[in-house]
Amino acid sequence: MIWTGIWAGLLLLAAYGVGAMPFSNWVAEALAKTDLRQLEGGTVSGTGLYRVAGFFPLAVGGLLDVGKGTLGPLLADTVWAEDRWLLVAFAGAAAVAGHNWSVLLWGAGGRGISPALGAFSIIAWPASLYLLGALALGRLVHHTGLVVFVALPTLPLFLLWIDSAQATIAAALIVLPMFAKRVLGNTPLPAQNRLRAAAHRLVFDNDHWPVQPSPEH
């Protein structure tokens, strides 16, 4: 029992560590001499990589970011324990958290979509298709942030309908750090109208809302 707990702790640490590897940023630095943290919003993501390097670097970086989300759940699935599914879920969430708050980028990172796709390919593959569909729809209507905002809380409900309660709990654990990163971002919230700015980040996943200073009375 003790060894199982130690192994589980090491596995979650490894899932976070692999998730923290900023492949998209490394590809951008290697090919375009650009640190994605310096772009508008500071998000280390495939979108930023595409902007500075094009499609093929995006494909490479994106596949690596998706792949790193699979490792933790795959390893967790080898643990001999009755509640192994819960460790698999936490491993997926740890990979997303590592991607979102990478120690190699001093806490900066992406939004977790890519490693979540990888984790869900192991945990419940329809969830990967669900997220990919949301991304495609968002691109089509030019409101990716808003569409993903709707998709994230409905994803556990989708899995409850077509899969199992265990997959639903796993989805909720993985979605939580994705929601948190949308609000926290990679830059501090403005001092003025902080709550409205946080709500705008949560819903639209950007800082384009013009923050006006509160009127003096």
Side-chain angles (χ1 to χ4, degrees), residues 123-145:
I123 297 169
W125 63 265
S128 295
L129 297 182
Y130 190 88
L131 284 180
L132 285 173
L135 289 174
L137 177 60
R139 295 288 185 185
L140 183 64
V141 301
H142 305 291
H143 286 290
T144 303

Side-chain angles (χ1 to χ4, degrees), residues 90-138:
F90 273 108
V96 171
H99 178 83
N100 291 358
W101 295 279
S102 172
V103 293
L104 300 175
L105 297 175
W106 300 99
R111 294 299 191 262
I113 294 289
S114 294
L117 289 173
F120 281 128
S121 71
I122 305 301
I123 297 169
W125 63 265
S128 295
L129 297 182
Y130 190 88
L131 284 180
L132 285 173
L135 289 174
L137 177 60

Side-chain angles (χ1 to χ4, degrees), residues 6-21 67-73 75-76 87 90-96 98-99:
I6 293 175
W7 169 240
L10 291 174
L11 190 150
L12 292 178
L13 186 61
Y16 171 86
V18 173
M21 294 181 178
K68 69 187 184 183
T70 66
L71 182 62
L75 291 176
L87 181 60
F90 273 108
V96 171
H99 178 83

Side-chain angles (χ1 to χ4, degrees), residues 116-214:
L117 289 173
F120 281 128
S121 71
I122 305 301
I123 297 169
W125 63 265
S128 295
L129 297 182
Y130 190 88
L131 284 180
L132 285 173
L135 289 174
L137 177 60
R139 295 288 185 185
L140 183 64
V141 301
H142 305 291
H143 286 290
T144 303
L146 177 60
V147 174
V148 171
F149 168 73
V150 175
L152 290 181
T154 56
L155 177 56
L157 298 176
F158 171 70
L159 290 180
L160 184 61
W161 176 45
I162 69 163
D163 199 299
S164 66
Q166 293 180 353
T168 301
I169 294 171
L173 289 173
I174 291 172
V175 162
L176 281 175
M178 298 169 74
F179 266 131
K181 188 62 178 186
R182 286 171 72 100
V183 175
L184 298 175
N186 289 313
T187 57
L189 287 164
Q192 300 289 345
N193 297 310
R194 187 180 298 270
L195 289 180
R196 290 187 65 186
H200 184 86
R201 279 188 179 182
L202 176 63
V203 175
F204 297 101
D205 196 20
N206 63 51
D207 289 323
H208 294 324
W209 177 68
V211 180
Q212 300 294 333
S214 300

